[in-house]
Amino acid sequence: LRGAAPIIYAIKQGLPETGITIMKIKPKKFDVGEMLAQERIEIPRDMLRSDLTHKMAILGSDLVCQVVENLEAYEKTATVQDNSEATLAPVVNKSIAFIDFHKQSNYEIYNLWRSVHDIVKLRCKWGPTNTVTRFKVVHPPWHIEHLQLDSAKLPGETVFLKVNKKQNFLCIKCRDGWIAVDEIMYGKRKVMSSRDFANGFLRIDKTKPLPPSENNNSIAMFVKDEET
């Protein structure tokens, strides 16, 4: 992966491994020098970007020391890069956090969260009130796959499940499968738990009409937040 954000893209794409490359530097060019040494790193399916960054920093520092100490030997076995096999990982901005439940699967959203969890919060809108909502935590999809949620629901539809005294899940239907979120930031309110969000927004008093919305104002669902 070449570019400013290789760790983010490795996790976002759900890759099972990534790696460190020590290479020569070319004047006024980036990522095109001969490769002196490489090491692979496994990416567990629940590893976060911050953890992978720390692991790669340690491996990278050890590897660069090995190369410097034996530079002449490594230069003799240097390998020219094949540009046709390069994969780009360009710089990211806040737009990466805009999620679309109609287009993204549960694993795509989970991998996206893993890749940017400590940089930017995933965001969408709560349809009935058209309010921007962010998620600080996205649970692994396999934590709720055994719950047999309704696959016929529309993408974005939301249900709250109390599995036991310690496990509560706010579940959102995706293009494929369901995802569970927690530590929810609704508008400018303080962070709330999945239970608190459900109590406030899923248990609707039918004697009071919902606020008007351009989206599905009669269905408890999240919708895409349009970039501005």
Side-chain angles (χ1 to χ4, degrees):
L1 289 167
R2 289 182 182 175
I7 298 177
I8 289 177
Y9 281 91
I11 295 178
K12 179 177 178 290
Q13 294 171 9
L15 300 182
E17 66 176 13
T18 186
I20 295 285
T21 299
I22 308 300
M23 68 180 70
K24 291 185 176 181
I25 298 175
K26 293 287 186 180
K28 300 181 180 181
K29 295 182 179 180
F30 295 94
D31 297 337
V32 296
E34 291 89 351
M35 298 180 294
L36 299 172
Q38 287 185 309
E39 286 286 350
R40 295 177 180 271
I41 302 175
E42 181 184 357
I43 308 177
R45 63 176 183 168
D46 59 351
M47 177 174 273
L48 305 181
R49 188 202 67 84
S50 55
D51 297 326
L52 180 57
T53 299
H54 178 71
K55 185 175 181 179
M56 292 183 71
I58 295 173
L59 178 60
S61 62
D62 290 342
L63 187 58
V64 76
C65 288
Q66 293 176 29
V67 172
V68 170
E69 291 173 358
N70 301 279
L71 183 57
E72 186 175 339
Y74 279 102
E75 285 184 324
K76 291 179 180 179
T77 58
T79 304
V80 176
Q81 294 191 49
D82 184 347
N83 291 330
S84 66
E85 296 183 356
T87 302
L88 301 182
V91 65
V92 300
N93 55 42
K94 68 176 185 179
S95 66
I96 196 174
F98 287 72
I99 50 180
D100 187 341
F101 295 103
H102 282 270
K103 295 181 178 180
Q104 293 168 287
S105 71
N106 53 353
Y107 278 89
E108 288 172 339
I109 292 174
Y110 176 62
N111 288 338
L112 174 60
W113 173 77
R114 289 195 300 133
S115 72
V116 297
H117 73 102
D118 58 338
I119 302 174
V120 63
K121 302 296 179 284
L122 301 193
R123 61 184 287 171
C124 54
K125 282 188 175 181
W126 179 239
T129 60
N130 203 36
T131 301
V132 173
T133 305
R134 297 175 174 85
F135 308 124
K136 292 187 69 176
V137 174
V138 177
H139 294 290
W142 55 89
H143 282 188
I144 61 171
E145 286 177 341
H146 67 287
L147 299 177
Q148 298 181 332
L149 291 157
D150 188 356
S151 61
K153 293 288 187 181
L154 296 174
E157 283 199 62
T158 306
V159 298
F160 177 72
L161 297 177
K162 181 179 179 181
V163 180
N164 53 49
K165 291 183 178 180
K166 294 184 178 181
Q167 283 189 309
N168 301 296
F169 294 112
L170 185 71
C171 304
I172 308 169
K173 179 66 171 64
C174 306
R175 184 199 71 209
D176 298 312
W178 290 75
I179 200 75
V181 299
D182 206 343
E183 296 188 30
I184 300 151
M185 304 165 70
Y186 174 84
K188 295 183 179 180
R189 299 189 186 186
K190 65 180 183 180
V191 177
M192 64 182 80
S193 67
S194 58
R195 178 191 290 274
D196 289 340
F197 184 89
N199 287 338
F201 297 97
L202 293 183
R203 296 181 180 178
I204 300 172
D205 183 351
K206 294 184 179 180
T207 64
K208 298 179 180 180
L210 287 168
S213 169
E214 296 177 358
N215 302 302
N216 294 279
N217 62 357
S218 61
I219 302 177
M221 69 186 308
F222 287 101
V223 297
K224 183 181 179 181
D225 180 19
E226 299 298 331
E227 298 178 46
T228 57

